């Protein structure tokens, strides 16, 4: 386990931000911490990256305690925070060389590493311009490049694409995907279900400082109620006859029937209709999106 | 060591490229100098040519602006995630403050040189020996260093860059309540008591005495204030920086 937390708590005044977080992340995987603003995502990342002390519980990164062995933890991780922490009045190259020098690269090695990362993140043309002139996407790419100067085993990404336009977001996703293929463990937070769905092997949904769901994107979708079959009929009368036969929920000439998503079940539904002489015009199946999952898990007392 | 030097390089480069900071530390001293010498100076009786009297006061006043810039730079690094990034790295992240303090001292040294040159242009005729100069500049350096560490600590706890700029309120007010611009003898009793017992007065008196070759009467007091302030400010900044992880 590269990340292992046990009952992690953090409160600010009377507000509980983390209410006993238990997490395990295996090396080489991608975990997305998903949740609305104020769910405790950033606090979790801040504790795991040694920036903030927890009030209770323990957290270990690569076996090192984040409080007592912070220096060792820092040797393993890199952090890309919520705001691109780049120096506006330095150029992209200067920012990278600075980090390399801080990481004890020699001067020539620093320059070489900076050049390599500029090329990799498509910043060669802007390398010697001040960051002040960069677009949001370029800043984020530089920010990510700065986190990769010394190759980390574990990379924290706190809302890596918040505020980016769709094009820049896709570019960031590609860059992150490439890191995954290189075997870097990634721990990211996001408010975007699409992002979690696309990047993560495992999604942990956080709400009010607690884990409300944990699993693969598919598992989460299944957990919230599975697939439904929508049947459209020529008339409401026909739909009514189908309802008497199959149950489900009817709206005008459409009947929605819950399903386990298997082909067998779909077959049976259609066979039953055929046998009863009720003719459906159209049929479609719907898998819940992660948005449905999210709403279902984080909205209290929703009727199923 | 490489880490500290890298941080110093960073801060110096950032302040060189920040137009606001640069103007504040270079143009402002010159304007204050002209204001005091040509506007107020004629009406203030100091028993000597006013420009000779006011130079140390202007230098100390400018350190106030310099300190404010330092506090704002540190607050900016706190706010925009630079400090977070450094703190998550296996380095001595405290060096980020050392960098800002060094840049601050450098800016102040530059401002002081400019003030002295402009003052000479306005008729400042110091009669100091080389040793006097070294002592005067050494004392000012100690004071600026202390003030810069104080500003760095203030920047760490400031809630925003704007609140960090509040530091200027004190830094700019204090020199006026000293013998920087007028002899304290002209002030009402209460103000005079304050003026004569605050740290800036002995420092200014000592620098002025050294530059104009008059007897130094409060040298040890000035040294004690500056040295004491430096120790306290440095320990405070260290303590505050270490406590960031409690937030």
């Amino acid at each position: 386990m590269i990340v292992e937390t046990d009952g992690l708590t953090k409160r600010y005044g009377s507000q509980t931000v983390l209410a006993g977080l238990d997490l395990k992340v295996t090396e080489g995987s991608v975990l997305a911490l998903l949740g609305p603003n104020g769910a405790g995502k950033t606090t979790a990342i801040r504790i795991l990256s040694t920036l903030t002390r927890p009030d209770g519980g323990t957290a270990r990164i690569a076996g090192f305690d984040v409080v007592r062995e912070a220096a060792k933890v820092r040797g393993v991780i890199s952090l890309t925070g919520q705001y691109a922490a780049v120096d506006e009045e330095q150029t992209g190259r200067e920012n990278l060389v600075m980090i390399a020098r801080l990481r004890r690269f020699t001067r020539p090695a620093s320059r070489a590493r900076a050049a390599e990362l500029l090329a990799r993140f498509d910043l060669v043309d802007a390398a010697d311009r001040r960051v002040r002139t960069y677009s949001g996407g370029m800043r984020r790419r530089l920010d990510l490049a700065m986190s990769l100067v010394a190759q980390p085993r574990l990379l924290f990404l706190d809302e890596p694409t918040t505020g980016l336009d769709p094009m820049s977001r896709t570019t960031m996703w590609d860059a992150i995907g490439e890191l995954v293929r290189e075997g870097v463990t990634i721990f990211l937070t996001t408010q975007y279900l699409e992002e979690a769905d696309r990047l993560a092997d495992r999604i942990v949904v956080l709400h009010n400082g607690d884990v409300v769901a944990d699993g693969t994107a598919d598992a989460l979708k299944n957990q919230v109620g599975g697939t439904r079959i929508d049947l459209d009929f020529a008339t409401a009368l026909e739909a009514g006859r189908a309802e008497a036969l199959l149950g489900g929920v009817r709206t005008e000439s459409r009947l929605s029937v819950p399903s386990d998503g298997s082909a067998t079940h779909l077959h049976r539904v259609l066979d039953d209709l055929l046998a009863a002489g009720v003719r459906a015009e159209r049929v479609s199946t719907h898998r819940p999106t992660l948005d449905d999952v999210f709403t279902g898990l984080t909205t209290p007392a929703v009727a199923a | 060591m490489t880490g500290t030097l890298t941080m110093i390089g960073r801060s110096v480069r950032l302040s060189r490229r920040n137009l606001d900071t640069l103007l504040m530390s270079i143009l402002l001293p010159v304007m204050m100098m002209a204001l005091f010498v040509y506007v107020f100076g004629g009406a203030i009786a100091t028993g000597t040519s006013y420009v000779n009297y006011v130079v140390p006061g202007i230098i100390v006043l400018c350190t106030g602006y310099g300190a404010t810039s330092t506090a704002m730079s540190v607050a900016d690094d706190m706010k925009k995630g630079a400090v977070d990034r450094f703190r998550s790295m296996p380095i001595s992240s405290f060096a980020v403050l050392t960098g800002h303090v060094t840049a601050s001292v450098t800016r102040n040294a530059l401002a002081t040189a400019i003030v002295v040159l402009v003052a000479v242009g306005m008729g400042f005729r110091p009669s100091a020996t080389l040793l006097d100069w070294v002592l005067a500049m050494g004392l000012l350096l100690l004071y600026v260093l202390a003030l810069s560490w104080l500003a760095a600590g203030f920047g760490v706890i400031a809630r925003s860059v704007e609140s960090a700029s509040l530091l200027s309120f004190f830094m700019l007010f204090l020199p006026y309540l000293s013998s920087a611009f007028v002899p304290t003898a002209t002030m009402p009793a209460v103000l005079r008591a304050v003026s004569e017992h605050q740290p800036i007065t002995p420092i200014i008196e000592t620098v002025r005495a050294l530059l104009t070759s008059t007897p130094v009467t409060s040298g040890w007091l000035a040294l004690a204030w500056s040295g004491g302030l430096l120790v306290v400010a440095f320990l405070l900044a260290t303590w505050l920086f270490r406590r960031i992880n409690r937030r």
Side-chain angles (χ1 to χ4, degrees), chain A residues 10 12 46 49-54 71 73-75 77-81 83-91 94-95 97-99 101-105 130 132 142-144 146-147, chain B residues 1-11 13-19 76-93 95-96 242-247:
Chain A
K10 182 75 185 175
Y12 288 108
R46 289 185 65 85
S49 56
T50 77
L51 297 180
T52 299
R53 285 162 65 118
V73 170
R74 289 171 188 154
I77 62 163
S78 260
L79 167 72
T80 296
Y83 308 99
V86 291
D87 286 336
E88 300 265 305
E89 298 299 335
Q90 294 205 80
T91 67
E94 285 167 343
N95 270 292
V97 169
M98 172 184 77
I99 297 291
R101 292 292 285 154
L102 289 171
R103 294 273 191 175
R104 297 183 187 84
F105 283 51
R130 291 194 200 175
R132 183 156 44 85
L142 177 62
D143 197 21
L144 186 57
M146 284 164 76
S147 295
Chain B
M1 201 55 209
T2 311
T4 306
L5 288 177
T6 306
M7 288 294 193
I8 291 172
R10 165 181 188 257
S11 296
R13 192 180 299 142
L14 291 181
S15 54
R16 210 178 56 215
R17 289 179 186 175
N18 187 323
L19 206 62
D76 198 46
D77 276 357
M78 291 289 299
K79 184 90 191 158
K80 294 206 181 129
V83 168
D84 283 348
R85 182 191 287 284
F86 296 139
R87 287 183 57 234
S88 73
M89 288 167 61
I91 59 170
S92 162
S93 47
V96 68
R242 207 176 299 138
R243 284 181 63 90
I244 294 175
N245 69 358
R246 283 164 204 268
R247 296 183 206 171

Side-chain angles (χ1 to χ4, degrees), chain B residues 18-80:
Chain B
N18 187 323
L19 206 62
D20 299 347
T21 313
L22 215 58
L23 281 183
M24 206 144 137
S25 34
I26 295 189
L27 204 60
L28 200 76
V30 176
M31 287 170 61
M32 295 303 282
M33 191 76 202
L35 185 70
F36 274 94
V37 172
Y38 295 127
V39 181
F40 303 135
I44 303 172
T46 56
T48 166
S49 148
Y50 190 68
V51 69
N52 283 341
Y53 183 87
V54 83
V55 166
I58 298 286
I59 293 173
V60 167
L61 183 65
C62 291
T63 59
Y65 286 103
T68 305
S69 304
T70 307
M72 286 168 73
S73 306
V74 172
D76 198 46
D77 276 357
M78 291 289 299
K79 184 90 191 158
K80 294 206 181 129

